[in-house]
Amino acid sequence: MITFHGETARQQTTGRANSWLFPTFARNNQEEITLMRSRVVRLATALAAASALVAMTPSAAHAGAIGSAPVRTFEYNVGGVTMKIPTGCMFTHAVRGSGKKITYQNAGVDCAFVGALSSGFCNWRIDFTYADTNNKTYRTSRGRTHSECKIDPMRNNSPQRLSHYGKACAHLYVNGVRRVSQCHHITK
């Protein structure tokens, strides 16, 4: 009988030798090498995935939310000129943080189709408000009013430590009138 790494050919074909580690069901050495390589690759992949999961486990809970609301069609006057905002624009609000701490907050408008062809939003500002669970607003971060016309107004807000759980909202004002809002609930 021919021996291969201390095993007889009969043991290799029956799969009895070292079956707990590398069971062999191959008909020849090439098939056995291929099977062994695939097992090593699967083992390495499993170990890499397990290591990645352990390494990526955060020490504290973090959360984030992104939401959008459609900007409805409206008209407004700027210096005697009537401006029209057609359909096709969305107001998006993103929040990241942990507990009552907001580490990142952003809101802005994105337009597509006919909305992208308009002259944009003139005399605009974006405010961020924070309300408690009884819907009572206790803080407002008022943005500055931008006199220029812009198709994609956007604002980032500084990190916030909230006094209460409740909700964080972003509001778009055009020519002093609130046109759209988007909110996220901040809970335990």
Side-chain angles (χ1 to χ4, degrees), residues 63-76:
I66 298 174
S68 295
V71 178
R72 299 189 187 276
T73 299
F74 65 94
E75 292 182 352
Y76 63 101

Side-chain angles (χ1 to χ4, degrees), residues 7 11 14-25 39:
E7 299 174 5
Q11 289 172 323
T14 60
R16 291 186 188 142
N18 288 333
S19 62
W20 62 274
L21 181 60
F22 293 110
T24 54
F25 301 104
R39 288 183 186 116

Side-chain angles (χ1 to χ4, degrees), residues 68-74 84-92 108-118 120-121 150-153 172 180:
S68 295
V71 178
R72 299 189 187 276
T73 299
F74 65 94
K84 182 175 182 173
I85 301 297
T87 58
C89 296
M90 299 293 285
F91 183 63
T92 302
V109 176
D110 294 304
C111 295
F113 309 113
V114 179
L117 301 174
S118 74
F121 301 86
K150 200 164 183 187
I151 192 64
D152 58 349
L172 173 68
V180 64

Side-chain angles (χ1 to χ4, degrees), residues 24-42:
T24 54
F25 301 104
R27 286 187 219 107
N28 59 41
N29 287 343
Q30 188 59 39
E31 284 184 34
E32 187 170 340
I33 292 169
T34 303
L35 283 172
M36 201 173 303
R37 281 184 185 156
S38 69
R39 288 183 186 116
V40 170
V41 168
R42 284 188 298 198

Side-chain angles (χ1 to χ4, degrees), residues 37-60:
R37 281 184 185 156
S38 69
R39 288 183 186 116
V40 170
V41 168
R42 284 188 298 198
L43 178 64
T45 303
L47 289 173
S51 298
L53 287 174
V54 169
M56 291 175 28
T57 304
S59 57

